[in-house]
Amino acid sequence: MTRVFRAEPYDLVFDPASTALVIIDMQRDFLEPGGFGSMLGNDVSLLRASIAPCKAVLEAARKAKMLVIHTREGHAPDMTDCPPSKKARGGLKVGIGDEGPMGRVLIRGEKGHDIIPELYPAPNEPVIDKPGKGAFFATDLELMLRNRGIKTLIVCGVTTEVCVNTTVREANDRGFECLVVSDAVGSYFPEFNRSALEMIKAQGGIFGWVAASTAVIDAIA
């Protein structure tokens, strides 16, 4: 039975049976003091504001028995899946693969790479480890979604202008409808966050829809 998200730029009709929640990169390295984001000089509280709304949406999706997928950006310990240009960019003293306060930065299996405790995946929730910004690049995400008959994605996570926006654009090109939860995403740069959300819903929803967590929860509850 179809339902309706009250969203911008207009309402989105969806079927809960063919809808999935995708939570992007809610990792300790990005959201916790001492992580990679903090080491770069960012105020992690700007990202942490998204945790409570994201958790509320996650709990609603679990109660509705929707498919929930989590993603983590990072690389294999030998870094063979990390382009040299990505490693070198920024000329950082401590960058990807280097030892930080929570282990090697953005390396799979390290403490910092893992998802924050507040949003930790349930045993039946797939976790996609992605080497790039977009969740579809070099992963099995599209295969998982197609196999489950998923047509609509509810998207939360960080950061809005980078991994969230890239994933939504990738999903759009693959024919998925995307609803971004405005208060369950975040950026270290508030102006980037605002612009990224505007880009998604511009021109009649060129990349997707935007709605607050309360509207999303009301629709799927």
Side-chain angles (χ1 to χ4, degrees), residues 172-185:
N172 177 75
D173 283 346
R174 287 165 172 80
F176 295 101
E177 305 282 36
C178 292
L179 173 73
V180 177
V181 187
S182 58
D183 52 337
V185 294

Side-chain angles (χ1 to χ4, degrees), residues 42-43 45-47 160-161 185-198:
N42 296 305
D43 178 2
S45 69
L46 294 169
L47 264 59
T160 318
E161 77 277 12
V185 294
S187 171
Y188 299 123
F189 308 96
E191 66 275 20
F192 291 179
N193 187 65
R194 289 190 295 270
S195 296
L197 292 173
E198 290 294 331

